[in-house]
């Protein structure tokens, strides 16, 4: 086959694949807990064509009434800390307790380095083939803002398809932890014993975001070091002020390979949800997250409208020239240009 005919065929099949992706086709199947429909629905919302965006929006609208019921859990930690091994072991405990589990994996490294940390290896082999499990890596050849939207919408789709625990996994790189934190209820930080915080790429802010820190690989020779790390993180967490949601962040050790204390992590997370669902903190957090996504989105749309317009693009170049020549300060330039924009609306 020539390259040209291969590309034609590929484009045709891509078109066919996307053709069936309509709200009318997918919505009833999704609500009937069909996993294949869920996978297609996520493909639809990840598509950037304007036409499919309308279908995606209609789909989200049609399933909104059946969302919100899941535990939304973010899991982060440096590559090699044991995220996929932990999720496999934790997933087993979740299934044993009657949950249906969806795992959405965000990997910003795939857009930075070209290769994917998450995709390069075989991950969660056992979990991936279980009936009540759905695993989906999020391709991020995209800016993080796009990923945030896709992942948030994917959470809703998974909830509509009857998954009651949604794990959003991310490599601790760049801003991805902050993005994940902004869309989940519970944020779990996995740490290695014995490696300094800096080595683990851990910034102070991330520890503050964590609802629990789990020290992984507490087995064999590493067990003593893990217990030492446990004590030092417990001391560090005590320095933080009492939180408004009434939760005290917890530190825990575990061994995913030996299945040791994974059940304790489950009980810990369960007690968080019991507390925050009862005292209203979960509702409050979710509504704050929604407001902040709404505000960010409005700001993005206005920005796109402004900078996507040829007149203002040219005008902005002129102002930047004036700033360069020292004729105007950046603040004056912005104010002048904005006044012109308002006058022209
Ligand atoms: P990820 O990059 O954070 O997803 O890490 P992986 O789950 O792929 O684990 C990285 C390496 O650590 C692998 O070789 C695992 O076998 C190993 N590992 C993960 N969990 C444990 C554990 O509980 N104990 C031990 N000893 N090794 C582990």
């Amino acid at each position: 086959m020539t390259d040209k005919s291969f590309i034609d065929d590929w484009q045709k099949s891509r078109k066919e694949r996307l053709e069936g992706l309509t709200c009318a086709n997918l919505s009833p199947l999704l609500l009937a807990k069909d996993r294949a429909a869920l996978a297609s629905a996520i493909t639809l919302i990840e598509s950037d064509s304007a036409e499919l965006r309308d279908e995606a929006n209609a789909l989200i609208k049609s399933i909104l009434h059946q969302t919100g019921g899941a535990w939304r859990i973010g899991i982060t930690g440096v590559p090699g800390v044991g995220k996929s091994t932990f999720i496999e072991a934790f997933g087993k405990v979740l299934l044993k307790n009657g949950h249906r589990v969806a795992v959405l994996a965000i990997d910003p490294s795939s857009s930075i380095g070209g290769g994917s940390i998450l995709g390069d290896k075989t991950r969660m082999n056992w979990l991936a083939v279980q009936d009540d499990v759905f695993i989906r890596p999020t391709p991020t050849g995209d800016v993080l803002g796009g990923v945030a939207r896709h992942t948030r919408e994917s959470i809703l789709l998974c909830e509509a398809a009857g998954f009651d625990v949604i794990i959003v996994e991310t490599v601790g790189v760049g801003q991805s932890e902050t993005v994940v934190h902004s869309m989940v209820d519970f944020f779990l930080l996995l740490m290695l014993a014995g490696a300094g915080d800096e080595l683990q790429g851990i910034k102070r802010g991330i520890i503050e975001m964590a609802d629990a820190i789990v020290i992984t690989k507490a087995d064999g020779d590493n067990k003593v070091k893990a217990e030492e790390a446990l004590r030092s993180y417990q001391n560090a967490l005590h320095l933080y002020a009492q939180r408004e949601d009434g939760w005290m962040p917890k530190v825990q050790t575990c061994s995913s390979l030996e299945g040791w204390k994974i059940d304790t992590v489950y009980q810990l997370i369960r007690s968080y949800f019991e507390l925050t669902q009862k005292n209203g903190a979960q509702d409050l957090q979710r509504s704050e997250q929604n407001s902040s996504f709404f505000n960010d989105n409005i700001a993005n749309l206005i920005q796109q409208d402004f900078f996507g317009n040829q007149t203002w693009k040219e005008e902005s170049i002129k102002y930047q020239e004036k700033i360069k020549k020292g004729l105007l300060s950046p603040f004056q330039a912005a104010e002048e240009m904005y006044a012109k924009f308002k006058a022209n609306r």
Side-chain angles (χ1 to χ4, degrees):
M1 194 169 15
T2 65
D3 281 350
K4 167 96 177 57
S5 68
F6 172 77
I7 291 168
D8 285 350
D9 278 358
W10 184 80
Q11 278 179 339
K12 195 165 143 253
S13 72
R14 181 174 184 274
K15 193 161 171 275
E16 277 162 8
R17 264 186 289 135
L18 293 177
E19 253 165 20
L21 301 185
T22 61
C23 169
N25 281 346
L26 294 173
S27 185
L29 288 170
L30 195 70
L31 295 172
K33 303 185 176 176
D34 183 303
R35 270 194 305 181
L38 173 58
S40 301
I42 295 180
T43 304
L44 172 64
I45 58 126
E46 283 173 352
S47 155
D48 44 17
S49 103
E51 195 185 318
L52 289 178
R53 193 66 240 169
D54 288 345
E55 287 296 334
N57 284 338
L59 177 64
I60 297 287
K61 208 167 164 191
S62 76
I63 53 100
L64 261 188
H65 66 282
Q66 208 166 294
T67 63
W71 293 355
R72 301 170 182 172
I73 302 172
I75 297 186
T76 193
V78 291
V81 70
K83 289 181 296 300
S84 49
T85 317
F86 174 79
I87 293 171
E88 175 114 332
F90 182 54
K92 220 175 258 185
V93 172
L94 288 169
L95 293 182
K96 205 176 71 195
N97 282 279
H99 295 285
R100 295 186 77 223
V101 187
V103 182
L104 305 170
I106 299 179
D107 180 5
S109 61
S110 63
S111 57
I112 299 166
S116 163
I117 291 174
L118 299 180
D120 283 351
K121 55 186 175 177
T122 323
R123 314 181 84 240
M124 302 174 230
N125 288 329
W126 180 85
L127 206 59
V129 296
Q130 303 305 307
D131 279 344
D132 286 327
V133 175
F134 177 82
I135 298 182
R136 173 91 172 199
T138 301
T140 58
D142 202 272
V143 287
L144 215 48
V147 177
R149 178 186 187 145
H150 296 158
T151 310
R152 272 181 70 85
E153 289 182 337
S154 299
I155 291 174
L156 298 174
L157 294 172
C158 291
E159 287 177 345
F163 290 93
D164 66 346
V165 176
I166 322 280
I167 295 174
V168 185
E169 176 197 1
T170 187
V171 191
V173 171
Q175 289 301 305
S176 65
E177 302 101 333
T178 316
V179 171
V180 170
H181 180 254
S182 72
M183 62 179 80
V184 295
D185 306 312
F186 186 90
F187 194 63
L188 179 64
L189 175 61
L190 299 187
M191 301 277 274
L192 293 164
D197 291 355
E198 274 159 41
L199 252 181
Q200 303 191 49
I202 300 300
K203 292 148 249 158
R204 190 186 145 85
I206 295 170
I207 304 240
E208 273 175 59
M209 279 195 271
D211 297 301
I213 294 174
V214 168
I215 297 147
T216 55
K217 309 189 191 182
D219 46 45
D221 292 347
N222 212 27
K223 205 159 182 164
V224 175
K225 267 200 289 181
E227 294 305 321
E228 281 167 15
L230 172 97
R231 279 189 293 279
S232 70
Y233 283 115
Q234 267 169 344
N235 289 338
L237 287 182
H238 280 137
L239 299 176
Y240 295 130
Q242 177 77 29
R243 291 174 20 163
E244 279 177 18
D245 62 3
W247 175 255
M248 267 301 285
K250 306 281 188 298
V251 192
Q252 182 75 60
T253 48
C254 82
S255 166
S256 309
L257 280 190
E258 294 182 355
W260 183 68
K261 286 220 178 156
I262 304 292
D263 198 58
T264 317
V265 177
Y266 171 72
Q267 294 304 338
L268 181 163
I269 294 178
R270 183 175 195 96
S271 66
Y272 173 87
F273 280 97
E274 277 164 7
L275 173 79
T276 55
Q277 282 171 357
K278 206 157 134 198
N279 70 10
Q282 177 178 301
D283 284 346
L284 187 67
Q285 187 181 16
R286 286 187 180 184
S287 87
E288 282 170 2
Q289 289 174 338
N290 280 336
S291 304
S292 110
F293 269 90
F294 172 74
N295 289 336
D296 288 353
N297 204 33
I298 289 277
N300 278 342
L301 290 171
I302 292 173
Q303 209 175 2
Q304 275 168 25
D305 195 25
F306 189 76
F307 289 106
N309 177 303
Q310 196 53 31
T311 312
W312 299 111
K313 229 188 243 169
E314 284 165 15
E315 200 67 18
S316 135
I317 294 170
K318 282 186 208 155
Y319 274 104
Q320 288 185 35
E321 276 304 313
K322 287 187 190 171
I323 298 168
K324 224 187 259 170
K325 287 181 185 153
L327 300 173
L328 280 177
S329 82
F331 305 102
Q332 288 169 322
E335 276 164 20
E336 242 184 60
M337 184 167 148
Y338 185 62
K340 267 195 199 173
F341 174 73
K342 278 213 313 202
N344 270 282
R345 260 189 313 193

